[in-house]
């Protein structure tokens, strides 16, 4: 079956696009016809993603190395996108994220702050900048997708900072949906479970073997399986969906 082409003429910004889930999202969006702005703090990784993107539908992709947790960078990003493309992005996926795991009793304040700064504030800055650009351009359609985590709902030992950041992402997405629906902008959050990516590659085998029995699908997910859901949320196939969180977790912790 031919891949769908639901994103022709759309412009998408994807943070964390240099790796794992973000890279898979860039690939999926490009294969569906979107022009993609690949953003990552690792410039080399962002450039590598750029090389992987198909452009057989006349799209123009670009990559950019930048830290999404700094307002100045995010504002410059959106200005430069508008200058290059003569339009704001109408799709945004905030997938940049980090972990700094430690038990609550041992966690340093700076490790708490760093994770909140990237995962929560970075999502706020990008979501705000893209929505402002869409509203001032008078575009009547936008899809903003944030990346939370299943552990933001249920908690996870050793991830006091990360779970707080991801619960926050879910909350801000619902609020964004309430405030932005009047402008035709939909905002949804995806909650991945355990997805095989550089972020999870150091989880010890003995820990994964304890988690796997709680995953109905009996395995970790693939970044492309998360990208499938992002493409659905970005496309007109989900025009009546906003303010929701979608678990992409293979049935983890449902019972
Ligand atoms: P990943 O492979 O580590 O990719 C994250 C990317 O974001 C990396 O390239 C990283 O660069 C980049 N990044 C980190 N801080 C940044 C910043 N301040 N500005 C711009 N880019 C930054 O992780 P992933 O598994 O694809 O995760 C993607 C998203 O899904 C994250 O938000 C993560 O929390 C979430 N998630 C993942 C899982 C999972 O099981 N993998 C589960 C639930 C949620 P560096 O490598 O240089 O840090």
């Amino acid at each position: 079956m031919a891949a769908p082409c639901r994103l022709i003429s759309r412009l998408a910004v994807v943070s964390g696009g240099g790796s794992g889930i973000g890279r898979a999202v860039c690939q999926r969006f490009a294969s569906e016809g979107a022009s993609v702005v690949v953003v990552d703090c690792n410039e080399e990784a962002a450039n590598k993603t750029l090389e992987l993107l198909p452009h057989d539908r006349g799209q123009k992709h670009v990559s950019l190395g930048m830290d999404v947790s700094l307002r100045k960078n995010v504002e410059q990003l959106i200005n430069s996108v508008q200058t290059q493309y003569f339009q704001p992005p109408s799709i945004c996926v905030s997938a940049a994220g980090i972990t700094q795991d430690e038990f609550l009793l041992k966690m340093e304040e700076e490790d708490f702050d760093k994770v909140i700064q990237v995962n929560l504030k970075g999502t706020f800055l990008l979501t705000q900048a893209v929505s402002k650009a869409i509203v001032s351009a008078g575009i009547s359609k936008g899809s903003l997708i944030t990346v939370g985590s299943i552990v933001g709902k249920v908690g996870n030992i050793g991830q006091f900072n990360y779970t707080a950041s991801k619960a926050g992402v879910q909350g801000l997405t619902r609020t964004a949906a309430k405030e932005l629906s009047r402008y035709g902008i939909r905002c949804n959050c995806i909650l991945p479970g355990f997805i095989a990516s550089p972020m999870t590659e150091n989880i010890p085998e003995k820990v994964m073997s304890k988690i796997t029995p709680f995953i109905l699908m009996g395995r970790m997910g693939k970044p492309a399986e998360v990208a499938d859901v992002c493409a659905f949320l970005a496309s007109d196939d989900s025009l009546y969906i906003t303010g929701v969180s979608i678990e992409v977790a293979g049935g983890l912790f449902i019972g």
Side-chain angles (χ1 to χ4, degrees):
M1 197 172 65
C5 266
R6 298 172 293 186
L7 304 178
I8 286 172
S9 305
R10 305 289 301 278
L11 175 60
V13 167
V14 180
S15 76
S19 179
I21 293 170
R23 172 173 286 172
V25 169
C26 293
Q27 290 178 287
R28 179 60 191 260
F29 283 8
S31 76
E32 292 222 24
S35 290
V36 180
V37 179
V38 185
V39 175
D40 203 287
C41 61
N42 182 337
E43 189 170 6
E44 209 178 305
N47 292 340
K48 174 73 195 161
T49 299
L50 184 66
E51 285 170 21
L52 298 171
L53 301 184
H55 41 77
D56 49 339
R57 294 173 199 284
Q59 311 104 296
K60 188 178 111 190
H61 311 298
V62 293
S63 60
L64 212 87
M66 59 156 267
D67 179 348
V68 290
S69 67
L70 301 173
R71 174 180 286 279
K72 199 170 67 149
N73 290 358
V74 176
E75 284 173 354
Q76 275 170 1
L77 162 73
I78 299 306
N79 287 339
S80 109
V81 166
Q82 300 209 83
T83 307
Q84 285 185 63
Y85 289 92
F86 306 108
Q87 62 174 315
S90 63
I91 299 169
C92 174
V93 180
S94 294
I98 57 167
T99 54
Q100 298 272 318
D101 295 349
E102 188 49 278
F103 296 115
L104 169 59
L105 298 181
K106 292 185 182 167
M107 183 166 288
E108 300 288 344
E109 186 178 348
E110 65 195 38
D111 286 338
F112 182 84
D113 289 346
K114 180 72 191 156
V115 170
I116 297 292
Q117 188 79 16
V118 174
N119 297 4
L120 185 57
K121 188 168 176 191
T123 300
F124 154 62
L125 291 174
L126 193 58
T127 301
Q128 185 189 48
V130 172
S131 39
K132 275 184 177 178
I134 293 174
V135 170
S136 41
I139 292 175
S140 59
K141 187 160 75 175
S143 176
L144 311 184
I145 300 162
T146 59
V147 182
S149 171
I150 197 87
V151 300
K153 273 179 73 178
V154 299
N156 199 24
I157 289 170
Q159 292 200 305
F160 192 74
N161 47 6
Y162 183 79
T163 52
S165 73
K166 293 302 187 180
V169 165
Q170 237 188 304
L172 72 75
T173 308
R174 288 201 201 103
T175 300
K178 289 187 176 188
E179 293 186 9
L180 299 174
S181 62
R182 77 179 72 170
Y183 302 105
I185 302 174
R186 299 182 294 111
C187 307
N188 295 293
C189 183
I190 52 163
L191 308 181
F194 286 88
I195 309 299
S197 77
M199 183 176 274
T200 51
E201 70 190 0
N202 293 327
I203 298 178
E205 189 51 45
K206 66 174 186 192
V207 173
M208 264 331 289
S209 66
K210 284 189 181 150
I211 293 168
T212 307
F214 295 98
I215 305 174
L216 295 184
M217 305 297 284
R219 62 169 176 85
M220 291 179 88
K222 301 172 192 159
E225 291 168 329
V226 182
D228 290 343
V229 181
C230 291
F232 165 71
L233 288 174
S235 79
D236 286 358
D237 283 352
S238 58
L239 276 183
Y240 202 52
I241 298 180
T242 194
V244 304
S245 300
I246 299 184
E247 296 181 13
V248 189
L252 177 68
F253 300 142
I254 66 155

